[in-house]
Amino acid sequence: KNKQCPENLNKLAWRTLRVNLDILGLYARSDRISDLLGIRATLDTSYHEVKNLLEEHYAVANLFYHDETGAYYLFPAFELGDDLRQSIQNCFPLDLQPQVHLEDSVTGGQLDSRDRESNDERAANQLLAEPRKKTIQIRQAPVLADNNLYPWEEEWTEKRPPNTEICTVCGFRPVGYPLPGSEDEKKLNLQTWAEHDKAKARSVCRVCLDRRGRRCEEWAQEGLQGTIWTSEVADNYGRLALLVGCLDLDGWLDGTLLSTIPLDSIDDKWFAKSPSPARLYRIAETARPFWQQVIDEITPNTVGHRPFRLDIYPAGSYLPELKDKLGPFHAYEIDLDGLPLEAVWDGEKFITAENLGYFARRHDLLAEKLPEYLRGRAVKLKERPELGKPIHEVATARIAESKKLEGYNPTIPLMAEPGVCMVLIPADKALALVREVKKHFELQFGRVRDRLPMHLGLVFFKRRTPIRAVLEAGQAILKMGGKWVWETWDISEVQDVNHKRKLTFENGIIWHVPIFMKDGKTKDDWYPYLLLKKPDSGGSVERQDLVHACQLDSELKVFIRPSRFDFEFLDTTGRRFEISYDSEGRRRQRRTRPFLLDDLDRFNEIWDQMKNLALSQRYQVIQSIEATRESWFGRDEQNQSGGDPVFKQFVKDTLAGAAWGDHPWEKIDEKVREKMVRAGVTGELADLAELHMEIMKEK
């Protein structure tokens, strides 16, 4: 209260208050989608309570950034009292306690590029980027507000249920905690259905059981909208894909790349946009809607709808026994001749909970014939308990009738933050979705795509793969961007096409950079700049190192932060440990990866030609190239084969000698043939075969 407002507002100081949790890490420890969604809902509620506490109740701070690492607030240049710190942490449950920190103070003048006296380029980094970096590096685990030792001494002694273990979800509380009738039970205010015996049977505490909610019941009673079942997301081969997307905002959040957006000049001194908290907020809230659009519009439109589900009615004579033995809105397996069909019992009938196309394919049937196929069949009903426990039979029945229900969209959104997006989709639609996301990225961020890379990854897996392993693989793929990787690209040709600048690079990639505003007449003098010189170690960019897209000429060298694409198939859960990248963002064991995202167009052109070969011919050509590569250069020296003219000639001769049938090698466009040879030499052709033939199951 003794503080006085400074006369010059540029000297007004504030600090960044961060409330951090490793949300991606918390997601990755979930064995079930319901546990992940339960954690997400709990954290959303807790962070909302913190926002109300700081912005409304105390009116002492403003949220200016929020992502998978936590929330960041503008806070006065005061100390953070213990009472306020405790109040913030009281908004979270004990097993999800955040770390609360105050950073050093920053003044408005330090952030203002026009304030020659006070401006400090390091201040913007201190405002958000550095606090966020600390969070990512530490990979913080939940801690207690007062930093005391483990808080569950009583629960693990006199309050400990007999012969209990630790909860398999939170890894924090005893299984079955709290005991019925205890004081802790009254404090926690759990739902009545989150019973002690039910929690013990599932090897979880009652708190985590309560978080899981009754999602199956809600799904059934709300009209079966969307899906909550990974088996329904799976394609006709029982495979799914986790799409992970990343907008590399680091250079924007630390203010470095804002220097590439010129504003004006004062006394012949050029200045760029200042990294104010409001501007950082707008950057984040431009990225967040993009990923939300990916989840809400692009993904459903690309994946499409499954045509129908089935209602399966048991014969009336079996109903009393089924109502007695089956739990309402529990998932079961209907065993038909040894092949299971996953379904949910709603108290009167079963509702299918898996992709019927996959079930029909295993029975050599058409999906449309399933109602007729199921009618009158005797079946066994089995329960699939928690992961790792055996399936056991609970009842038998006979199917009296089966009716079609409306279709659904087979996707499960997991996250949409400014820098990260995650969504589960059918494996056979994954590559099409990547292409659509890439197209929309180019439309929305085409003016700054040289400085704002987008990385996309796909984790393919079978429907029974533990979701924990899939999420860990997804987190590993997010690291493909490397640390501020800049590449030199040579421009070979420049053209003006439809109000855009068409740039053709020596590596074969083509960009169409918008150079006008939306009216098609006003020149965009702010964003479509490219760098002629890589930013220095401090990240600063000088005006003379920028060139507007309209002024580009051929044979110029420009610096690009490339967008990348990678994929991995988890044929075993241990495969996720092979996903690792060096400081340049290259795969350590798969040196052809990650690919440039812009190369997807080239790959599509190559594979369109490869499809003219019979399936056996494709296998033969690729196996011949890879076997020769290994024989000549060894497994660890595949990159060196690219510069060997003899090996290049061998690849060319192998492709030319294949049985191309009605599309002879000599009649393929010369540029396309060269791309195919290059892909064979680098090993990309083998990667494409794995993706299209082994994973996507294309014929």
Side-chain angles (χ1 to χ4, degrees):
K1 62 183 179 181
N2 295 325
K3 300 284 185 179
Q4 294 183 352
C5 183
E7 296 180 2
N8 185 348
L9 291 181
N10 274 356
K11 295 182 180 179
L12 186 66
W14 60 81
R15 306 173 71 179
T16 297
L17 170 66
R18 56 186 176 97
V19 185
N20 294 130
L21 272 169
D22 180 14
I23 299 176
L24 281 176
L26 292 172
Y27 281 9
R29 77 184 190 191
S30 303
D31 286 322
R32 296 170 51 148
I33 292 294
S34 56
D35 291 328
L36 184 155
L37 298 179
I39 291 173
R40 186 177 75 180
T42 301
L43 291 179
D44 286 347
T45 300
S46 295
Y47 273 112
H48 183 70
E49 290 178 5
V50 171
K51 190 173 187 293
N52 287 340
L53 179 77
L54 295 175
E55 293 188 348
E56 298 181 19
H57 183 73
Y58 289 114
V60 72
N62 283 101
L63 178 70
F64 74 101
Y65 186 76
H66 186 284
D67 67 0
E68 73 281 0
T69 66
Y72 300 79
Y73 290 84
L74 287 181
F75 193 81
F78 306 148
E79 294 301 319
L80 180 65
D82 291 339
D83 290 344
L84 182 55
R85 183 190 299 273
Q86 187 66 57
S87 296
I88 292 172
Q89 292 182 312
N90 286 344
C91 294
F92 294 80
L94 280 175
D95 63 315
L96 299 175
Q97 285 287 288
Q99 293 199 6
V100 182
H101 294 278
L102 265 180
E103 301 298 321
D104 295 334
S105 62
V106 176
T107 67
Q110 289 176 314
L111 297 174
D112 191 349
S113 61
R114 296 168 295 183
D115 190 333
R116 298 179 179 178
E117 180 181 347
S118 304
N119 182 237
D120 184 354
E121 293 180 353
R122 296 169 297 177
N125 188 55
Q126 187 175 310
L127 181 67
L128 176 59
E130 189 62 29
R132 187 171 176 271
K133 179 181 177 182
K134 292 177 184 177
T135 305
I136 296 173
Q137 286 179 338
I138 295 173
R139 304 297 292 176
Q140 295 164 330
V143 296
L144 292 179
D146 54 4
N147 294 321
N148 282 342
L149 297 177
Y150 190 74
W152 296 100
E153 183 177 355
E154 290 186 4
E155 281 68 24
W156 284 103
T157 54
E158 65 265 20
K159 291 185 179 181
R160 177 177 182 265
N163 300 320
T164 194
E165 299 177 352
I166 197 166
C167 173
T168 57
V169 176
C170 65
F172 193 69
R173 306 179 186 85
V175 166
Y177 170 85
L179 289 173
S182 66
E183 288 297 320
D184 289 345
E185 182 185 48
K186 297 175 183 177
K187 292 178 184 177
L188 291 170
N189 193 29
L190 302 173
Q191 297 292 329
T192 56
W193 52 264
E195 300 169 350
H196 175 72
D197 291 341
K198 186 181 293 187
K200 287 191 67 176
R202 289 162 173 73
S203 300
V204 299
C205 66
R206 294 173 66 190
V207 176
C208 290
L209 182 61
D210 181 74
R211 284 181 192 161
R212 282 182 180 177
R214 311 191 79 169
R215 301 189 189 281
C216 180
E217 183 175 351
E218 294 169 2
W219 168 73
Q221 293 180 347
E222 292 176 1
L224 308 176
Q225 298 298 313
T227 183
I228 59 174
W229 311 102
T230 54
S231 291
E232 279 199 319
V233 177
D235 64 13
N236 289 352
Y237 290 91
R239 298 181 176 190
L240 298 83
L242 172 68
L243 172 73
V244 292
C246 171
L247 281 173
D248 197 341
L249 298 173
D250 288 351
W252 298 92
L253 297 180
D254 66 9
T256 300
L257 291 176
L258 285 173
S259 62
T260 66
I261 304 177
L263 274 181
D264 206 345
S265 61
I266 297 179
D267 299 331
D268 296 327
K269 178 177 175 56
W270 171 78
F271 68 91
K273 287 188 174 183
S274 300
S276 65
R279 184 158 285 127
L280 298 181
Y281 174 82
R282 287 198 295 271
I283 289 172
E285 295 311 310
T286 299
R288 191 191 308 275
F290 172 74
W291 291 124
Q292 203 60 54
Q293 182 187 13
V294 168
I295 284 178
D296 295 340
E297 299 177 20
I298 300 173
T299 300
N301 292 339
T302 304
V303 171
H305 268 65
R306 293 274 163 76
F308 61 89
R309 290 187 176 100
L310 289 177
D311 267 345
I312 300 175
Y313 296 85
S317 58
Y318 291 91
L319 270 178
E321 179 187 4
L322 296 181
K323 289 182 177 181
D324 180 57
K325 293 184 176 181
L326 304 185
F329 302 106
H330 285 198
Y332 296 92
E333 287 186 356
I334 303 175
D335 189 318
L336 296 104
D337 300 330
L339 290 176
L341 173 63
E342 296 180 33
V344 173
W345 172 250
D346 71 356
E348 297 290 336
K349 64 183 184 303
F350 292 96
I351 306 168
T352 56
E354 74 166 78
N355 176 13
L356 295 177
Y358 175 56
F359 177 80
R361 191 185 68 83
R362 288 178 292 160
H363 283 264
D364 293 325
L365 294 170
L366 294 175
E368 291 76 12
K369 300 292 185 180
L370 281 177
E372 179 182 339
Y373 172 78
L374 296 174
R375 193 176 299 121
R377 298 183 69 91
V379 297
K380 298 176 182 178
L381 302 173
K382 298 182 178 181
E383 184 176 20
R384 178 177 289 275
E386 293 300 298
L387 188 68
K389 295 185 178 180
I391 301 174
H392 59 276
E393 183 177 326
V394 292
T396 59
R398 183 174 296 277
I399 298 175
E401 187 59 71
S402 180
K403 297 180 180 179
K404 290 184 179 180
L405 298 173
E406 291 184 359
Y408 63 97
N409 189 268
T411 65
I412 301 179
L414 301 181
M415 176 177 284
E417 296 292 350
V420 178
C421 174
M422 289 186 175
V423 58
L424 290 172
I425 54 175
D428 62 347
K429 300 294 184 180
L431 202 53
L433 179 58
V434 166
R435 293 192 182 105
E436 283 298 310
V437 174
K438 172 180 175 288
K439 182 173 72 174
H440 282 78
F441 167 74
E442 293 168 356
L443 289 174
Q444 296 189 37
F445 299 103
R447 290 173 169 82
V448 293
R449 63 191 295 187
D450 60 307
R451 293 152 283 163
L452 177 59
M454 179 183 68
H455 309 303
L456 294 177
L458 293 171
V459 180
F460 295 94
F461 59 100
K462 300 175 183 177
R463 63 176 189 151
R464 297 296 192 196
T465 304
I467 198 67
R468 182 191 298 254
V470 176
L471 293 172
E472 287 179 358
Q475 284 192 72
I477 280 186
L478 286 174
K479 299 176 183 178
M480 77 174 83
K483 176 62 178 176
W484 273 84
V485 177
W486 290 92
E487 292 185 1
T488 305
W489 288 13
D490 296 326
I491 300 175
S492 62
E493 186 179 3
V494 178
Q495 294 175 294
D496 289 324
V497 180
N498 297 329
H499 302 292
K500 294 182 180 179
R501 194 74 160 169
K502 180 182 177 182
L503 306 179
T504 303
F505 297 96
E506 290 288 350
N507 56 15
I509 291 172
I510 297 175
W511 282 5
H512 293 84
V513 180
I515 54 177
F516 291 96
M517 307 300 282
K518 288 186 177 180
D519 61 8
K521 299 177 182 178
T522 307
K523 181 184 174 184
D524 186 346
D525 289 325
W526 294 273
Y527 293 98
Y529 283 85
L530 283 86
L531 276 71
L532 298 177
K533 180 181 177 182
K534 188 170 79 170
D536 59 29
S537 57
S540 61
V541 177
E542 297 297 331
R543 181 68 182 88
Q544 62 270 19
D545 297 332
L546 292 171
V547 59
H548 194 279
C550 288
Q551 300 170 337
L552 285 172
D553 293 320
S554 59
E555 299 183 3
L556 272 178
K557 295 179 182 293
V558 292
F559 285 86
I560 305 292
R561 292 186 67 199
S563 299
R564 292 176 167 177
F565 166 70
D566 200 359
F567 68 91
E568 190 61 65
F569 176 52
L570 298 186
D571 52 346
T572 66
T573 56
R575 189 73 63 193
R576 68 190 189 275
F577 299 119
E578 296 182 8
I579 306 174
S580 63
Y581 301 86
D582 60 23
S583 60
E584 296 297 314
R586 304 305 306 172
R587 285 280 289 271
R588 289 186 170 89
Q589 298 184 6
R590 305 292 293 267
R591 299 300 297 180
T592 55
R593 302 183 193 172
F595 310 112
L596 293 178
L597 186 63
D598 295 289
D599 271 335
L600 287 182
D601 297 331
R602 174 170 65 89
F603 292 157
N604 190 50
E605 192 174 16
I606 291 171
W607 198 251
D608 281 344
Q609 292 296 332
M610 291 297 294
K611 287 191 291 188
N612 292 324
L613 290 175
L615 195 62
S616 59
Q617 277 285 291
R618 284 183 241 165
Y619 277 114
Q620 185 175 342
V621 166
I622 293 167
Q623 287 176 358
S624 176
I625 293 173
E626 294 308 308
T628 303
R629 183 199 312 282
E630 183 176 345
S631 174
W632 289 11
F633 305 102
R635 286 183 177 272
D636 299 328
E637 301 180 8
Q638 291 188 9
N639 276 1
Q640 298 182 14
S641 63
D644 190 315
V646 179
F647 183 72
K648 181 177 181 180
Q649 186 62 46
F650 169 78
V651 171
K652 185 175 182 179
D653 292 342
T654 301
L655 288 168
W660 292 93
D662 297 334
H663 303 81
W665 174 257
E666 294 78 11
K667 292 187 178 180
I668 299 175
D669 184 86
E670 184 178 355
K671 292 183 178 179
V672 177
R673 287 187 312 208
E674 184 59 35
K675 291 177 183 178
M676 296 173 70
V677 171
R678 170 187 164 191
V681 168
T682 60
E684 293 171 338
L685 202 57
D687 288 316
L688 291 179
E690 178 187 356
L691 178 60
H692 287 274
M693 296 164 61
E694 301 298 326
I695 298 175
M696 306 290 290
K697 298 293 185 182
E698 293 180 7
K699 299 300 183 184

